[in-house]
Amino acid sequence: MLGQMQSQPLLISSLIVHADRHHGEGEIVSRRVEGDIHRTTWAEVARRSRQLANALGGLKLNFGDRVGTIAWNGYRHLELYFGVSGSGHVLHTLNPRLHPEQLAWIINHAGDSVICFDMTFLPLVQAVAANCPTVKHWIALCDADALPAESKLPNLHSYEALLAAQSDTYVWPEFDENSASSMCYTSGTTGNPKGAVYSHRSTLLHAYAGALPDALSLSARDAILPVVPMFHVNAWGLPYSAAATGAKLVFPGPAMDGKSVYELIEAEKVTMAAGVPTVWQMLLGHMQQQGLKFSTLNRTVIGGSACPPAMIAAFNDQYNVDVLHAWGMTEMSPLGTVCTLKNAQTSLPREEQNKIRLKQGRAIYGVDMKIVDEAGKELPWDGKTYGDLLVRGPWIISSYFKGEGGDPLQYDADGLGWFPTGDVATIDADGFMQITDRSKDVIKSGGEWISSIDIENIAMAHPAVAMAACVGMPHPKWDERPIVVVVKKPDAQVEKDELLKFYEGRTAKWQIPDDVVFVDAIPLGATGKMQKMALREQLKDYKLPTA
Amino acid sequence: MLGQMQSQPLLISSLIVHADRHHGEGEIVSRRVEGDIHRTTWAEVARRSRQLANALGGLKLNFGDRVGTIAWNGYRHLELYFGVSGSGHVLHTLNPRLHPEQLAWIINHAGDSVICFDMTFLPLVQAVAANCPTVKHWIALCDADALPAESKLPNLHSYEALLAAQSDTYVWPEFDENSASSMCYTSGTTGNPKGAVYSHRSTLLHAYAGALPDALSLSARDAILPVVPMFHVNAWGLPYSAAATGAKLVFPGPAMDGKSVYELIEAEKVTMAAGVPTVWQMLLGHMQQQGLKFSTLNRTVIGGSACPPAMIAAFNDQYNVDVLHAWGMTEMSPLGTVCTLKNAQTSLPREEQNKIRLKQGRAIYGVDMKIVDEAGKELPWDGKTYGDLLVRGPWIISSYFKGEGGDPLQYDADGLGWFPTGDVATIDADGFMQITDRSKDVIKSGGEWISSIDIENIAMAHPAVAMAACVGMPHPKWDERPIVVVVKKPDAQVEKDELLKFYEGRTAKWQIPDDVVFVDAIPLGATGKMQKMALREQLKDYKLPTA
């Protein structure tokens, strides 16, 4: 017996139609590449998305063709989110911080037909164009008169000229909600990057779930600042959830320094901001230096990599801003867990609550997770036992684009497929998950595991330490022993012995690193994460003093 | 090109699995028919739902068979919500306030195989049983020793005995998410009642949408009191959204009087309560009489019928409780709109905000709405023009059970089907909808429409008026003229002329009723709504003084 409800596929076009009809006057504010502040509305973004859809039709694209973007966070990128996917094409957001060779590899692998780019990235585009034979059109996100006279790019269009030539009447097509809507490549620390291919259905379910009070709690009263790039897993889904809720959006463009971000938050009365720890470090640094306060910001979502406890404390205690510690992956659309308290925990003392806030949080409804041992057996939720973290859900991948890497899923006794996250975690009795390490970074010492993150957090708590990375080094007796690689703060001094002494009482004796290596910089990836693979490469001639 | 995300049907079983795994310790508190307070947890509800699913299998039910319930709000009814639908059967909630003949008609029309009932309703069940040939099993929601010795019911089981005999191991089946999950009949003011058949997909999308910050804003920190009955459109979806968020649930059982509801709110630290205006009237009456305050309640959802402005003001101003004015229908699962402010409105003066709060609110993402004229042409959103309200969305019906009433949808030029709500409404430029009347209640006077609700609200604002109903009476010159039928408060006095004078300055002169008719009571339906059809029947010999 079937239900008798209206049959409507979950399509991204329904988001922009909703924002247009019910939140047409809602503001979209962007700091542009040009440096000025641009103001528009959801109705205008919807209108231009329809023009864009018509323009893509004019370029003779077929259903499912990939349209790449190399762009900052701004209103034109937002229009691409809806115009490209809504018309049945696949939005492929590209990370401009990648090496040109890697970028060209990804464009070719995805088979992008069109690339849209901010003028900032013209040199990058010129560097890769000759190696991208699938790309038939290059669209510069600018006015016609801003196009370079000699670009050497075949079929170079101005986005504004393309749109201006089109009607703003367009009927969004209806198609299977499982159709691909967008794609994003993992940064790929080993092997080639792999493509996660999202569907309209997965994107819409994620848009609902991400806006829930237990997730990012988004409403029509919010002004959202996605500092997290729109090329980084769909800016954590914020553009979609914002359209669903009619929230105001504020885009930082390329200006991610503390001063620019702070000024935008204040000028546009931002209530919620989302980004990775490195960006917040710059913001907090600027504010502490200048003695500034927030007047409207009430919460900030921190994800992308584990958030240092000191940062959570600074936001909470100094600035009265709730930190939503979140965790997810490119393969997860990306939201998996957010750390928000449960009913019974709201009456705990602040100190107890702060301990909970250090965890990555609880599974949003739609996501299930478990920790397993090496045999795949589920481990207890006691907050102590750690194991490989596996996840399931309708916005988690089942395979990579073109089947690269084979079937990534791990199957349980009931035949259910779980995606192995590559993280090692604990889950407590209340369902709060805490990442203890990446599987490949965990240090295996004498049959016991040492969390590299724990070791790094202790070093980071030392006033002279700017950045710390813990890696395991081969040891004849213990298999591996940890060392900590440290970048000192400018003008700050600390010696090896002092730092090792700092560990005493802060961790078990056998977990204290065997050595400290001071360096000028730790290699960072395109999304600001420490690249331990590259670091290990730098240390290939290093020998443990204890080995 | 398809997305490459995990394929998981949206099934109600996933809600109870989530609540079990991630909120197992979450509390479910019920005032029982027996009068005592019963405490359980989501884990225990999940466990017993699995036992129930096994028990239904033992009764040889087939996939899609209907299981009726005649029950108050409580933990056993909650177990039926998940155990029945999760195992592939259809939960059919029955309204015990219906006349036995109507109840039997509905049970036969739905073809219910099993009826589960609270012992309070034993006489009702005994009155209908002989006329319900499709019902093979009667399950009393009680312990074995509470079963009557001579019930005259064939195949009468004790729910507790049935469960106790079953294993609590059960693998929830996977099936098409468009399968029927539950059904509910409209009260049907004209003709026979008609069945709305919900699907697993529609129920899950509604569960996400209903929990959004712009809807009921439900989280794991909430303690929810659904005073709205679980037989009344799935208690507005609260049991499902509560499972998705892991909120605490508090059930009032049969005790809906002001004192019982107040005591439960305070004892269980309820943060959010949902119900129809008549219940809140009793609660506020009790509190005002006793000089009581709320200590934890921060919001209340009022729907089911238009909320009197005085009630919104009392909650907001006297008790500091936000009123979420909501609107929906049995045919809409039921949520359509909720009145929550937008970003730009948060800085308006309180007085302006209160005017907005009188409206039924904005469409939740997933629902679209429009107002149309008699030719089906869309009317402007100016807050003044009114027309027939039409809605679309994945949790709105496409047809009634067994096709009763034919195709209810109205199709637009693009071929999209819209459900006509039977309401007349305005929509303002910000998308806030306000019901001005039911289509059949609007008074058509000299080519102009008069809203019966406006006329009633003015009378209700008079201190001597307890209840008021406005109906149109035939008039030789104006077609119809309004009269107002009034129930006075106990010991209060007001005369016709005084009340008519009260309208002066409160509405246009031509909209002032032609007469006042004082009565002892206005007929109310099973869900507490005024029955204007019955009222008109009572007034069939009435003649307008002006005609």
Side-chain angles (χ1 to χ4, degrees), chain B residues 284 288 293 300 302 307-325 350 354-355 357-358:
Chain B
L284 291 178
Q288 278 155 1
K293 295 272 168 203
T300 170
I302 303 187
C307 181
M311 184 176 289
I312 297 182
F315 271 114
N316 278 342
D317 303 337
Q318 267 183 274
Y319 297 107
N320 205 24
V321 168
D322 277 337
V323 170
L324 295 171
H325 201 183
R350 177 81 179 209
N354 282 348
K355 278 186 203 160
R357 286 183 209 279
L358 295 180

Side-chain angles (χ1 to χ4, degrees), chain A residues 15-284:
Chain A
L15 288 168
I16 194 67
V17 168
H18 177 82
D20 186 16
R21 281 180 69 81
H22 298 277
H23 300 277
E25 77 299 341
E27 285 184 286
I28 312 293
V29 179
S30 311
R31 191 191 293 276
R32 297 205 296 181
V33 173
E34 296 87 332
D36 61 341
I37 297 289
H38 175 273
R39 314 189 80 85
T40 185
T41 62
W42 278 112
E44 186 62 10
V45 167
R47 197 182 67 77
R48 286 163 53 94
S49 300
R50 295 192 300 269
Q51 288 181 312
L52 172 62
N54 280 324
L56 295 176
L59 297 180
K60 307 274 180 248
L61 293 201
N62 293 314
F63 184 83
D65 278 356
R66 272 76 68 210
V67 175
T69 64
I70 310 178
W72 300 110
N73 290 10
Y75 66 104
R76 288 172 181 138
H77 209 168
L78 188 68
E79 291 157 9
L80 288 161
Y81 264 55
F82 296 105
V84 170
S85 302
S87 58
H89 305 104
V90 180
L91 181 85
H92 176 200
T93 50
L94 288 150
N95 186 341
R97 294 186 190 129
L98 294 174
H99 188 274
E101 246 175 64
Q102 209 173 9
L103 199 66
W105 187 93
I106 289 175
I107 291 170
N108 284 312
H109 190 266
D112 295 335
S113 302
V114 176
I115 300 283
C116 306
F117 61 96
D118 270 329
M119 283 299 281
T120 331
F121 302 117
L122 180 64
L124 178 63
V125 165
Q126 287 169 326
V128 301
N131 302 322
C132 299
T134 65
V135 180
K136 302 284 176 284
H137 300 275
W138 299 88
I139 301 178
L141 299 169
C142 64
D143 292 324
D145 59 12
L147 282 186
E150 300 221 344
S151 72
K152 292 178 203 152
L153 292 170
N155 287 322
L156 175 66
H157 310 266
S158 134
Y159 178 80
E160 293 298 336
L162 262 186
L163 259 56
Q166 301 294 332
S167 159
D168 61 8
T169 300
Y170 179 83
V171 178
W172 299 105
E174 197 169 304
F175 45 78
D176 181 353
E177 67 187 29
N178 293 303
S179 301
S181 60
S182 47
M183 65 193 299
C184 191
Y185 279 72
T186 60
S187 33
T189 43
T190 52
N192 284 321
K194 294 194 281 287
V197 186
Y198 313 109
S199 70
H200 286 260
R201 175 183 167 101
S202 71
T203 303
L204 260 65
L205 292 176
H206 186 271
Y208 271 122
L212 290 175
D214 277 328
L216 311 184
S217 197
L218 305 175
S219 81
R221 290 166 296 293
D222 277 312
I224 303 171
L225 176 77
V227 185
V228 52
M230 291 172 81
F231 57 76
H232 184 67
V233 216
N234 308 315
W236 301 347
L238 289 170
Y240 303 119
S241 291
T245 59
K248 174 176 175 175
L249 273 173
V250 182
F251 289 119
M256 250 96 73
D257 62 286
K259 181 168 183 290
S260 299
V261 169
Y262 176 78
E263 287 174 358
L264 207 53
I265 287 173
E266 289 301 304
E268 298 301 330
K269 300 187 164 50
V270 166
T271 57
M272 187 275 212
V276 295
T278 43
V279 167
W280 300 137
Q281 203 71 68
M282 292 191 286
L283 176 64
L284 291 178

Side-chain angles (χ1 to χ4, degrees), chain B residues 346-366:
Chain B
T346 55
S347 47
L348 289 178
R350 177 81 179 209
E351 198 178 311
E352 292 297 309
Q353 291 181 348
N354 282 348
K355 278 186 203 160
I356 298 169
R357 286 183 209 279
L358 295 180
K359 304 190 177 195
Q360 272 77 10
R362 301 182 284 112
I364 306 171
Y365 168 62

Side-chain angles (χ1 to χ4, degrees), chain A residues 22 201 221 341-342 365, chain B residues 14 22 177 221 341-342:
Chain A
H22 298 277
R201 175 183 167 101
R221 290 166 296 293
L341 299 185
K342 288 182 165 183
Y365 169 61
Chain B
S14 72
H22 299 277
E177 68 187 26
R221 289 166 296 296
L341 299 184
K342 287 181 163 184

